[in-house]
Amino acid sequence: MALILTDEQVMLKDAVDGFLGEHAPIKHLRQLRDSHDADGLSRTLWQQFGEMGFAGVLIDEEHGGSGLGAVEAGVIAESLGRTLPPSPFFGSAVLSASILQNAGSDAQKFWLSKIAAGEAIVSLAVDEGAKHAPHRIETRAERSGNGFKLNGAKALVLDGHVADALIVAAQTDEGLSLFLVDPKTDGINIERTVMVDAHNAARITLKDVEVDADALIGEVGSGQPVLDRALSLGRACAAAGLNGAGDQAFAITLDYLKTRQQFGKLIGEFQALQHRAAHLYTELELAKAATLGALQAIDEGKETAGLSASVAKAKAGRVAELAVQEGVQMHGGVGMTDEFDIGLYMKRVRVLNETLGDSHFHAEQLARARNY
Amino acid sequence: MALILTDEQVMLKDAVDGFLGEHAPIKHLRQLRDSHDADGLSRTLWQQFGEMGFAGVLIDEEHGGSGLGAVEAGVIAESLGRTLPPSPFFGSAVLSASILQNAGSDAQKFWLSKIAAGEAIVSLAVDEGAKHAPHRIETRAERSGNGFKLNGAKALVLDGHVADALIVAAQTDEGLSLFLVDPKTDGINIERTVMVDAHNAARITLKDVEVDADALIGEVGSGQPVLDRALSLGRACAAAGLNGAGDQAFAITLDYLKTRQQFGKLIGEFQALQHRAAHLYTELELAKAATLGALQAIDEGKETAGLSASVAKAKAGRVAELAVQEGVQMHGGVGMTDEFDIGLYMKRVRVLNETLGDSHFHAEQLARARNY
Amino acid sequence: MSDPETFRLEVRNWLEANCPPEVRGLVESENDLIWGGRNATFKTPAHKAWMDAMGAKGWTAPEWPAEYGGGGLTREQAKILQSELLRIKAQPALSSFGIWMLGPALLAFGTEEQKKKYLPPIVRGEIRWCQGYSEPGSGSDLASLQTRAEDMGDHWIVNGQKIWTSYADKADWIFCLVRTDPSNKHRGISFVLFDMETPGVSTRPITLISGKSPFCETFFDNVRVEKENLVGELNRGWDVAKYLLAHERTMIGAMGEGMGRPLGEIARDSIGTDDQGRIDDPMLRARITEWDMDAAAFKLAMDSAVDRMKAGQAHPALASMLKYYGSELNKRKYELLMAAGGIDALEWESERSHEGDTARSWLRTKANSIEGGTTEVQLNIIAKHLLNLPGA
Amino acid sequence: MSDPETFRLEVRNWLEANCPPEVRGLVESENDLIWGGRNATFKTPAHKAWMDAMGAKGWTAPEWPAEYGGGGLTREQAKILQSELLRIKAQPALSSFGIWMLGPALLAFGTEEQKKKYLPPIVRGEIRWCQGYSEPGSGSDLASLQTRAEDMGDHWIVNGQKIWTSYADKADWIFCLVRTDPSNKHRGISFVLFDMETPGVSTRPITLISGKSPFCETFFDNVRVEKENLVGELNRGWDVAKYLLAHERTMIGAMGEGMGRPLGEIARDSIGTDDQGRIDDPMLRARITEWDMDAAAFKLAMDSAVDRMKAGQAHPALASMLKYYGSELNKRKYELLMAAGGIDALEWESERSHEGDTARSWLRTKANSIEGGTTEVQLNIIAKHLLNLPGA
């Protein structure tokens, strides 16, 4: 497969960019943030995502989706990285949809149509400690009566405070299992955590939460491969989101270099800044190639897709960090003010870098995979 | 203690610089290298080092030395880094002298006067594998008759092929021990290893080498603290050597920036190069401060002196590497030719960085000391 | 003058009598700081008492001459005072741009009248000052400033706008760079003082990416400034500004130095350890260690610079080197702190995170390499003054 | 034209009959390479036979038109040939600056006569070419070259000096940039060809920091060059040179890519592992991994650039980006290899170290970011052509 977007994918990209430019430019984020919106996101926008077919990008046609692939999901994630609207896309349309699509029962797949329509938010609860460590999940699901009893604590549950359903990863005697849980079930406590980027997540505690056997997604103890697949996809899409944010941060910085004067020159005329900009451009190209490579590997079902996703996530995280750091620095004082947008990208990049494993985590995955 | 050289130390520095400028400028190294000198170093120069009092800098007056400290040894090592003459100074006057001074018997201290006079070369054999790992010495010394029988293989024994005496670190049942050994003893095989920097080292194998009990330096099993003390001193002096080389590489590069024209300008006018040069200058200042700090800590007998030496060696290694890399790059094509000196500094820095633990090794020492 | 040990005893006794328990212990928040001024607020009455007592002794500016209200101490005595304050963990009796910045400028450039008039109220914390340098159009190119002072005979009329004026909304007076000659970039700037209550002065706080900030935009609309309020010569304010910038740079370079727990310990607590007891994130551990190495070397470079300064061997541009490296180092530190904190460090408003303390501090550090002269300006200065590179 | 599978079979059969066992297997040293030329030396007679056979088929330049001695293959056929050569591990039948550089220039800029005269001997390995671009005074600023061609009516007299002429001491002919108009920097350069045996041409090899090298200094002392040997228009040689430089950059950027064992494995073997099976040098391990990550991303960026080129979506300056990153990456790789090799990698002359192979390769990589346009020049090009920054 050629490492470029197909014509159809370019059309999708144009459609998403156009839609977001109109309905969710960066002031959309500012409005939600500055009005202290109770949800922290716009349900209307999410429905429009449904109508446009973006929310169902990965969902099969049977459930109202468009049945496209990882590359297309990445295209949407990258565009979201450019204008930064808080959106359930990542948590619901990528992570949760992947799990339900691959392992959900017919009844559970009901949620797919709701996601595809932009009507439901389904959040995945994986992380527990300060860092992403899906190989060390401690939340337990003990058999209890007909079903299970869940105990544990989750963090960085994307959109968890407004979720219509939760997917909880928990250990059983048979291994890792995934449960589809109603957030209103007794024993579940959800605390919204307002984050530095004004995007949405929650901390969730589960105390003796009773769920029926049909809450189980797939077989008991069979959750690991299903989760891994969703995580790889999520990581590659997060990489795409990082690229979008890094790219846009670079674009507005380039504009600034071409308009701001100091010492009687445009600051973009200073060779030291030119070389740093040229380096950054090159790094962004690498990050984008690595991400497209990972997304394609996922679509092709390659065995190495997980590793490719780690490379993409690690590289995109590093590069986007560089992009926002250079962006703020090259903006000078005004880059530090909330009035300019560059700081919003810095904040978003930090959160996306941390989401589903940061660049250190994924570099370590690479080292282990290579047996270093 | 103020982190600057005292007036006496500045005078010493001027004396060493003056002496080397006259008797061992960089063409001294070229002559030895290009003539394929059998020794790879000048015994005459070594005697002059004795006459000038440089060889005995760390040796007490009783044995013909000047009884100065680590800072003074560092001053000499830094100067050697600037003109790069192959010299037994580092191996004999620093490493071996430290061991003999601190733990040698009266008879063994005889070698101190020979070193101070620049008449003897005494080499320390520590390393064994590809990397410096003094905590994992495998050479064994088994009790045998009145004395010991040594077996093992050593590498990077500085000046080992022309050594008049060897100090060998070996494991005994009681722990690490140091032995003063005649290189002509049966069972010792010495192979000169010509190195990339045209400085001198040897590989030595010891096969059933019989030595008397009086070959032991200090008590049996008491070698570790003596060796550690010598290594700390050696590392701080190697850091000083790296600073000298890095500094000189930077100086000739700066000169080049001020004379070479491209695109109708002096290349030193290009801001991108200016900023890189300014960064490098700053790093060199840090490396020099870290090294002086370590040398002073050794002289003051601080408990943290070993750790300070690790910081200095790690930092100086990194910075000198940057200096020579930038140096070759800023010289452009001619920097790649043997005719220009900058490449000689690149080679020397590589070897000094590897000597007594490279920057990775010492960064790891720091991490362990801080319990990270 | 008493001998050092006698002096130390005197200081110790005086502090025992005058330093209330409320002002001892670590400074934990902005709230603990004492800024003084006409509209001063104090956390407790003890805080006011502490400022007043120290101010009366002149020990808020220990080395300034006693005739201007200062402590009149020698370097050595000041060090003893400092060590005694440290010993009892006394919090600063006064935080003041007047002491840090205006004072040194007045001592170097002011007239006898100006010193007598302005210095004592600074020492006693009666008048709070702010600094009016930067303008929206003149960031790194400070000398391109446009705030205009029109000569009206016995006074000027000032019009223009300043930015990054810290605490302008709380300050009583401002020391300010204004353009008195539009035809000469560097030699057309003057350094003047005026009351922030003068008609035509207004301020507006700036919100930073890290949240609320002490910075303001400050506007001058036909502000009358008396001629006697000129410091130094007319059109030579740039000399005064440069003198002060060098001070500021060393200060910012030292920011964050030596503060807080070791990075690696924070990471270890947050992330946990592997079965060899190492931080269970080898890549982050490597980067933290590299930072540690650089920080250790930087600390020694700072010490060495101070020693060279004392020995009269320091090039003034050394401050640029320290400012450059120190601010980049501090930025790296907070990037690593964010990585160590992980998910916990992303919170922005929760009590658990102390209202996003780590994240806000992280974002705040991004200004280190901009304020007080950008990293790029420092590198230019090093290239020009320390390396003598052509055209720099 | 035969269909692909038939063509593949034909190729396979032909190779079976014509590719001797002596030229199969990994290229292990410079010695295995076949350079051709009037004074060609061959490792074995089989090497000569292999060159001759491939040359006769035109498969040393598979996509060049058959009328100029080339293979006349389509892109697809050339790929099939390449994959069949790879399958049997055939070594290159001809290494040639004529094929890599002069040929493409002649095909684009040469006259019909020039193509007919020069291309077939290149394909058959009869004439070996070298490149005369750089001069001692003109490194990055190639267009400042001073080698002078004085117009003598029907011929020029060339005087001057070239540097970095690879294999000038072994080449038969040179393609060379000369100044034909001193009054115009870029539009005063011409691209000419001449025989290295012409009176007045002399060469001197250059010793590099890595040891002996193929590079030479080349001197022209009143060298006569016929006017018919001009390629392209008079004074427009810069266009030809730029065209070729873009080729060269992509080539150098790809150097080292995908070659050899993974760095981490080499380090593991050299250093050993800790009790978790990790390379027993955590700091080096972290840096190697970071390199791996960058190398993996770079490989994909290369592939993507090729795909964009094929799709006609590639900006020509993309080659500068790849050249920049690829050469810096290769330098980093060899720094890490030296660290992994440690003491063993320091040896320079021993048999054990294959005469210092690692160290010499390490030093050689330092030229990657200089030759074919320095890193600084590539960054300038990116800033100007891809980012449209002002004044770049």
Side-chain angles (χ1 to χ4, degrees):
Chain A
M1 200 183 291
L3 269 165
I4 37 179
L5 296 184
T6 63
D7 290 346
E8 290 75 19
Q9 288 160 352
V10 171
M11 280 169 59
L12 173 64
K13 176 179 149 61
D14 292 343
V16 186
D17 281 347
F19 173 82
L20 291 175
E22 192 181 341
H23 295 92
I26 198 154
K27 71 168 183 234
H28 177 80
L29 169 68
R30 287 186 181 276
Q31 277 161 358
L32 288 166
R33 182 193 70 169
D34 297 342
S35 66
H36 300 277
D37 187 272
D39 288 351
L41 55 80
S42 157
R43 290 245 179 207
T44 311
L45 185 71
W46 184 226
Q47 274 166 14
Q48 288 169 318
F49 250 59
E51 287 155 23
M52 295 294 293
F54 303 154
V57 60
L58 287 166
I59 294 168
D60 56 22
E61 293 177 19
E62 191 186 336
H63 295 93
S66 41
L68 296 169
V71 173
E72 287 80 4
V75 162
I76 299 171
E78 188 180 314
S79 291
L80 286 167
R82 273 191 287 270
T83 66
L84 307 185
S87 164
F89 178 78
F90 190 66
S92 299
V94 176
L95 293 172
S96 296
S98 164
I99 288 171
L100 293 171
Q101 185 83 60
N102 290 324
S105 65
D106 287 348
Q108 290 165 339
K109 282 185 175 171
F110 154 79
W111 286 103
L112 287 174
S113 17
K114 300 281 280 181
I115 292 171
E119 288 168 4
I121 294 171
V122 182
S123 296
L124 174 63
V126 180
D127 291 327
E128 302 183 341
K131 302 295 282 187
H132 181 61
H135 48 294
R136 273 203 312 235
I137 286 172
E138 289 182 2
T139 295
R140 291 285 310 174
E142 307 289 347
R143 287 193 191 268
S144 161
N146 243 348
F148 295 85
K149 192 159 69 181
L150 276 61
N151 276 290
K154 297 288 184 179
L156 200 66
V157 181
L158 301 179
D159 316 309
H161 64 306
V162 286
D164 302 299
L166 295 172
I167 296 176
V168 177
Q171 298 292 351
T172 59
D173 292 340
E174 294 86 353
L176 192 75
S177 302
L178 300 166
F179 297 88
L180 184 66
V181 182
D182 183 341
K184 294 188 200 72
T185 314
D186 280 349
I188 295 186
N189 180 52
I190 301 182
E191 176 200 358
R192 179 182 178 191
T193 43
V194 174
M195 292 194 296
V196 56
D197 65 345
H199 281 232
N200 298 294
R203 288 184 187 267
I204 297 183
T205 53
L206 303 121
K207 193 165 159 43
D208 294 334
V209 176
E210 304 271 2
V211 298
D212 287 342
D214 62 5
L216 196 61
I217 299 175
E219 300 295 310
V220 67
S222 71
Q224 197 69 58
V226 179
L227 179 63
D228 286 347
R229 198 166 155 184
L231 291 178
S232 291
L233 182 68
R235 287 160 182 165
C237 286
L242 283 161
N243 292 338
D247 227 21
Q248 186 62 20
F250 183 53
I252 60 182
T253 303
L254 264 187
D255 279 349
Y256 194 74
L257 290 178
K258 292 172 186 174
T259 49
R260 167 79 171 173
Q261 292 221 349
Q262 291 276 275
F263 303 104
K265 281 198 209 179
L266 292 172
I267 57 175
E269 290 181 62
F270 288 99
Q271 196 197 30
L273 297 191
Q274 290 181 346
H275 280 199
R276 279 158 54 187
H279 170 73
L280 176 53
Y281 171 83
T282 305
E283 289 282 16
L284 284 164
E285 287 292 307
L286 262 71
K288 284 185 268 185
T291 303
L292 185 53
L295 292 164
Q296 287 186 351
I298 290 168
D299 280 336
E300 291 167 17
K302 282 195 185 159
E303 238 183 279
T304 52
L307 190 58
S308 296
S310 277
V311 168
K313 183 70 167 49
K315 184 71 188 166
R318 274 293 171 85
V319 171
E321 268 181 6
L322 180 66
V324 293
Q325 286 168 11
E326 287 287 50
V328 169
Q329 180 67 21
M330 291 185 185
H331 272 77
V334 298
M336 286 299 299
T337 63
D338 186 65
E339 200 182 327
F340 276 64
D341 291 337
I342 187 72
L344 298 174
Y345 289 93
M346 177 169 272
K347 294 170 176 180
R348 181 68 184 135
V349 162
R350 179 89 274 285
V351 174
L352 270 177
N353 195 359
E354 202 63 46
T355 305
L356 303 187
D358 69 0
S359 46
H360 304 120
F361 174 89
H362 288 292
E364 180 65 18
Q365 302 306 305
L366 179 62
R368 283 177 194 224
R370 301 228 161 134
N371 201 17
Y372 285 176
Chain B
M1 201 182 291
L3 269 166
I4 37 178
L5 295 183
T6 63
D7 290 345
E8 290 76 18
Q9 288 160 351
V10 171
M11 280 170 57
L12 174 64
K13 176 179 149 58
D14 292 343
V16 186
D17 281 346
F19 172 82
L20 291 175
E22 190 180 343
H23 295 91
I26 199 154
K27 70 169 182 231
H28 177 80
L29 169 69
R30 287 185 181 276
Q31 278 161 358
L32 288 166
R33 182 193 69 169
D34 296 342
S35 65
H36 299 279
D37 186 273
D39 288 351
L41 54 80
S42 157
R43 290 242 180 209
T44 311
L45 185 71
W46 184 225
Q47 274 167 13
Q48 288 169 318
F49 250 60
E51 287 155 22
M52 296 293 293
F54 304 153
V57 59
L58 287 166
I59 295 169
D60 55 22
E61 293 178 19
E62 192 185 337
H63 295 93
S66 42
L68 296 169
V71 172
E72 286 79 5
V75 161
I76 299 171
E78 188 180 313
S79 291
L80 286 167
R82 272 191 286 270
T83 66
L84 308 185
S87 164
F89 178 78
F90 189 65
S92 299
V94 176
L95 293 172
S96 296
S98 164
I99 289 171
L100 292 171
Q101 184 82 60
N102 290 324
S105 65
D106 287 347
Q108 289 165 339
K109 283 185 174 170
F110 154 78
W111 287 102
L112 287 173
S113 16
K114 301 281 279 179
I115 292 172
E119 288 168 5
I121 294 172
V122 181
S123 297
L124 174 63
V126 179
D127 290 328
E128 302 183 343
K131 301 296 282 189
H132 181 62
H135 49 294
R136 272 203 313 235
I137 287 172
E138 289 181 1
T139 295
R140 291 284 310 172
E142 307 288 348
R143 285 192 191 271
S144 162
N146 243 347
F148 295 86
K149 191 159 69 181
L150 276 60
N151 276 289
K154 296 288 183 178
L156 200 66
V157 181
L158 300 180
D159 317 308
H161 64 305
V162 286
D164 301 299
L166 295 172
I167 296 175
V168 177
Q171 298 292 351
T172 58
D173 292 340
E174 294 86 351
L176 192 75
S177 302
L178 300 167
F179 297 89
L180 184 66
V181 181
D182 183 341
K184 295 188 200 71
T185 314
D186 280 348
I188 295 186
N189 181 53
I190 301 182
E191 176 200 359
R192 179 182 177 190
T193 44
V194 174
M195 292 194 296
V196 56
D197 65 345
H199 281 232
N200 297 294
R203 288 184 187 267
I204 296 183
T205 53
L206 303 122
K207 194 168 156 42
D208 295 334
V209 176
E210 304 271 1
V211 298
D212 288 342
D214 62 6
L216 196 62
I217 300 175
E219 300 295 311
V220 67
S222 71
Q224 198 69 59
V226 179
L227 180 62
D228 286 347
R229 197 166 157 186
L231 290 178
S232 291
L233 181 68
R235 286 160 182 164
C237 286
L242 283 161
N243 292 339
D247 227 20
Q248 187 62 19
F250 183 54
I252 61 183
T253 303
L254 264 187
D255 279 348
Y256 194 72
L257 290 178
K258 293 173 186 173
T259 49
R260 168 78 170 172
Q261 291 221 351
Q262 292 276 274
F263 303 104
K265 282 197 208 179
L266 292 171
I267 57 174
E269 291 181 62
F270 288 99
Q271 196 198 31
L273 297 191
Q274 291 180 346
H275 280 199
R276 279 158 54 186
H279 171 73
L280 175 53
Y281 171 84
T282 305
E283 289 282 18
L284 283 163
E285 287 292 308
L286 261 71
K288 285 184 267 185
T291 303
L292 185 54
L295 292 163
Q296 288 185 352
I298 290 169
D299 280 335
E300 291 166 19
K302 281 195 186 158
E303 238 184 278
T304 53
L307 191 58
S308 295
S310 277
V311 167
K313 183 71 168 50
K315 184 72 190 166
R318 276 292 172 86
V319 171
E321 268 181 6
L322 179 66
V324 293
Q325 286 169 10
E326 287 286 49
V328 168
Q329 179 67 21
M330 291 185 185
H331 272 78
V334 298
M336 286 299 298
T337 64
D338 186 65
E339 200 183 327
F340 276 67
D341 291 337
I342 185 73
L344 298 173
Y345 289 93
M346 177 170 272
K347 293 171 176 179
R348 181 68 185 136
V349 162
R350 178 90 274 286
V351 174
L352 270 177
N353 195 359
E354 202 63 47
T355 305
L356 303 187
D358 69 0
S359 47
H360 304 120
F361 174 90
H362 288 292
E364 181 65 19
Q365 302 308 305
L366 179 62
R368 282 176 196 225
R370 301 228 162 133
N371 201 17
Y372 286 176
Chain C
M1 199 183 310
S2 53
D3 75 275
E5 276 323 295
T6 315
F7 180 73
R8 184 182 292 278
L9 262 180
E10 284 169 23
V11 170
R12 193 171 292 187
N13 291 336
W14 187 88
L15 287 178
E16 218 36 69
N18 290 280
C19 183
E22 290 90 335
V23 299
R24 301 194 191 195
L26 280 184
V27 171
E28 273 168 7
S29 80
E30 170 73 11
N31 228 358
D32 292 330
L33 295 181
I34 302 169
W35 288 96
R38 289 195 292 240
N39 306 307
T41 55
F42 297 91
K43 192 181 178 188
T44 70
H47 283 73
K48 179 169 190 329
W50 174 228
M51 178 187 86
D52 288 344
M54 285 286 280
K57 287 287 267 190
W59 285 359
T60 50
E63 291 181 70
W64 290 9
E67 55 184 313
Y68 307 131
L73 303 188
T74 63
R75 186 90 259 263
E76 196 187 4
Q77 288 175 322
K79 272 189 176 177
I80 290 171
L81 170 60
Q82 190 53 40
S83 73
E84 287 301 313
L85 285 165
L86 214 63
R87 200 180 62 82
I88 61 166
K89 298 201 177 70
Q91 296 175 0
L94 185 56
S95 300
S96 157
F97 294 123
I99 291 172
W100 300 330
M101 307 178 82
L102 177 61
L106 283 178
L107 286 167
F109 295 91
T111 62
E112 190 56 30
E113 287 74 25
Q114 287 172 334
K115 292 182 206 172
K116 287 242 165 75
K117 175 172 175 191
Y118 295 113
L119 293 178
I122 287 176
V123 174
R124 295 192 298 265
E126 293 164 3
I127 294 293
R128 182 169 179 181
W129 288 82
C130 65
Q131 178 202 53
Y133 279 17
S134 293
E135 300 182 4
S138 68
S140 288
D141 187 8
L142 184 55
S144 69
L145 61 91
Q146 310 246 353
T147 290
R148 188 62 205 289
E150 204 180 343
D151 193 334
M152 310 300 280
D154 63 336
H155 67 278
W156 288 288
I157 292 296
V158 174
N159 279 287
Q161 180 186 351
K162 294 286 172 183
I163 196 169
W164 308 121
T165 357
S166 302
Y167 299 109
D169 52 343
K170 294 182 175 136
D172 305 313
W173 277 65
I174 187 168
F175 52 99
C176 190
L177 292 173
V178 295
R179 180 154 300 288
T180 37
D181 180 355
S183 69
N184 195 323
K185 186 174 177 181
H186 288 90
R187 294 207 169 177
I189 294 170
S190 298
F191 189 99
V192 299
L193 316 173
F194 53 93
D195 195 315
M196 290 292 279
E197 285 184 0
T198 316
V201 177
S202 60
T203 66
R204 186 169 68 195
I206 296 172
T207 304
L208 289 187
I209 56 178
S210 48
K212 278 190 209 133
S213 85
F215 296 115
C216 296
E217 291 179 285
T218 305
F219 304 90
F220 308 130
D221 180 17
N222 287 324
V223 176
R224 181 188 170 109
V225 176
E226 302 305 323
K227 283 277 175 83
E228 67 193 39
N229 289 359
L230 172 74
V231 178
E233 286 178 50
L234 183 69
N235 290 326
R236 300 304 283 270
W238 188 241
D239 296 344
V240 186
K242 275 199 299 185
Y243 179 82
L244 282 188
L245 276 177
H247 269 259
E248 195 183 354
R249 271 166 200 161
T250 325
M251 240 169 65
I252 294 173
M255 262 176 46
E257 191 232 315
M259 293 195 318
R261 292 173 58 215
L263 257 178
E265 282 183 24
I266 296 173
R268 203 174 54 211
D269 288 354
S270 173
I271 294 169
T273 54
D274 67 12
D275 55 15
Q276 293 195 15
R278 301 191 290 209
I279 296 168
D280 198 13
D281 185 335
M283 303 297 156
L284 178 60
R285 176 176 180 269
R287 287 178 80 198
I288 287 178
T289 304
E290 195 133 351
W291 185 89
D292 262 12
M293 175 184 85
D294 288 340
F298 179 68
K299 196 192 163 310
L300 289 161
M302 289 279 286
D303 293 349
S304 169
V306 170
D307 290 335
R308 280 144 86 182
M309 238 174 278
K310 286 185 205 154
Q313 298 171 7
H315 191 291
L318 227 53
S320 287
M321 187 190 91
L322 299 172
K323 166 30 169 116
Y324 159 56
Y325 208 91
S327 54
E328 296 296 335
L329 201 59
N330 204 39
K331 290 198 304 183
R332 268 170 69 200
K333 174 180 172 178
Y334 276 85
E335 286 290 334
L336 294 169
L337 270 176
M338 287 301 285
I343 292 168
D344 297 340
L346 299 178
E347 296 188 15
W348 188 243
E349 292 185 344
S350 63
E351 225 176 280
R352 186 192 307 110
S353 69
H354 304 278
E355 300 297 315
D357 188 37
T358 309
R360 289 173 197 270
S361 301
W362 161 65
L363 288 163
R364 181 61 185 78
T365 61
K366 299 303 176 192
N368 295 163
S369 52
I370 297 168
E371 60 205 350
T374 63
T375 275
E376 291 74 20
V377 164
Q378 308 310 330
L379 292 172
N380 286 344
I381 292 173
I382 296 168
K384 179 170 184 169
H385 296 288
L386 293 170
L387 307 183
N388 298 310
L389 283 168
Chain D
M1 199 184 308
S2 54
D3 75 274
E5 275 324 296
T6 316
F7 180 73
R8 184 182 291 279
L9 262 179
E10 284 170 22
V11 169
R12 193 171 292 186
N13 291 334
W14 186 89
L15 287 178
E16 218 36 69
N18 289 280
C19 183
E22 290 90 335
V23 299
R24 301 194 191 194
L26 280 184
V27 171
E28 274 169 5
S29 80
E30 170 73 12
N31 229 358
D32 291 329
L33 295 181
I34 302 169
W35 287 95
R38 289 195 291 241
N39 306 308
T41 56
F42 297 92
K43 191 179 178 188
T44 71
H47 283 73
K48 179 170 191 327
W50 174 228
M51 178 187 85
D52 288 344
M54 285 285 281
K57 287 288 266 189
W59 285 0
T60 51
E63 291 181 71
W64 290 9
E67 55 185 314
Y68 307 131
L73 303 188
T74 63
R75 187 91 258 264
E76 196 187 4
Q77 288 174 323
K79 274 190 174 175
I80 291 171
L81 170 58
Q82 191 53 42
S83 72
E84 287 301 314
L85 286 165
L86 216 63
R87 198 180 63 81
I88 61 166
K89 299 202 176 71
Q91 296 174 1
L94 186 57
S95 299
S96 158
F97 294 123
I99 291 172
W100 301 329
M101 307 178 82
L102 177 60
L106 283 178
L107 286 167
F109 295 91
T111 63
E112 191 55 28
E113 287 73 26
Q114 288 172 334
K115 293 182 205 171
K116 287 243 167 71
K117 175 173 174 189
Y118 295 113
L119 293 178
I122 288 175
V123 173
R124 294 192 298 266
E126 293 165 4
I127 295 294
R128 182 170 179 179
W129 288 82
C130 64
Q131 178 202 53
Y133 279 17
S134 293
E135 300 183 3
S138 68
S140 288
D141 187 8
L142 184 54
S144 69
L145 59 92
Q146 310 248 353
T147 290
R148 188 62 203 290
E150 203 180 343
D151 193 333
M152 309 301 281
D154 62 339
H155 68 276
W156 288 287
I157 292 297
V158 174
N159 279 287
Q161 181 187 349
K162 294 288 172 183
I163 196 169
W164 307 121
T165 357
S166 302
Y167 300 109
D169 52 344
K170 293 180 176 136
D172 306 312
W173 276 66
I174 187 168
F175 50 99
C176 190
L177 292 174
V178 295
R179 180 152 302 286
T180 38
D181 181 355
S183 69
N184 195 322
K185 185 173 178 183
H186 288 90
R187 293 207 170 176
I189 293 170
S190 298
F191 189 100
V192 299
L193 315 173
F194 53 93
D195 195 315
M196 291 291 280
E197 286 184 359
T198 317
V201 178
S202 60
T203 66
R204 187 167 68 195
I206 297 172
T207 304
L208 289 187
I209 57 178
S210 47
K212 279 191 207 133
S213 86
F215 296 114
C216 295
E217 292 179 283
T218 305
F219 305 90
F220 308 130
D221 180 19
N222 288 324
V223 176
R224 180 187 170 110
V225 177
E226 301 305 323
K227 284 276 175 84
E228 66 194 39
N229 289 0
L230 172 73
V231 177
E233 287 178 50
L234 184 69
N235 290 327
R236 300 303 282 270
W238 188 242
D239 296 344
V240 186
K242 275 198 300 183
Y243 178 84
L244 282 187
L245 276 177
H247 269 259
E248 195 184 353
R249 270 165 201 163
T250 325
M251 242 169 63
I252 295 174
M255 263 178 44
E257 191 232 315
M259 293 195 318
R261 294 172 57 215
L263 257 178
E265 282 183 22
I266 296 174
R268 202 174 55 211
D269 289 354
S270 173
I271 294 169
T273 54
D274 68 12
D275 55 15
Q276 293 196 16
R278 301 190 290 209
I279 296 168
D280 197 14
D281 184 335
M283 302 297 156
L284 178 60
R285 177 177 180 269
R287 287 177 81 197
I288 288 178
T289 304
E290 195 132 351
W291 185 89
D292 262 13
M293 174 184 85
D294 287 338
F298 179 68
K299 196 193 163 310
L300 289 161
M302 288 280 286
D303 294 348
S304 169
V306 170
D307 290 336
R308 280 144 86 182
M309 236 174 277
K310 286 186 204 153
Q313 299 171 4
H315 192 290
L318 227 51
S320 287
M321 187 189 91
L322 299 172
K323 161 47 166 104
Y324 159 57
Y325 208 91
S327 54
E328 296 296 336
L329 202 58
N330 204 38
K331 290 198 303 182
R332 267 170 69 197
K333 174 181 172 179
Y334 276 84
E335 286 290 335
L336 295 169
L337 269 175
M338 287 301 285
I343 292 168
D344 297 340
L346 300 177
E347 295 189 15
W348 188 244
E349 292 184 345
S350 64
E351 226 176 280
R352 185 191 307 110
S353 68
H354 304 278
E355 300 298 315
D357 188 35
T358 308
R360 288 174 198 269
S361 301
W362 161 64
L363 288 164
R364 180 61 184 79
T365 61
K366 299 303 175 192
N368 294 164
S369 52
I370 297 168
E371 61 204 351
T374 63
T375 275
E376 290 74 18
V377 164
Q378 308 310 330
L379 291 172
N380 285 343
I381 292 173
I382 296 168
K384 179 171 185 169
H385 296 289
L386 292 170
L387 308 182
N388 298 312
L389 282 168

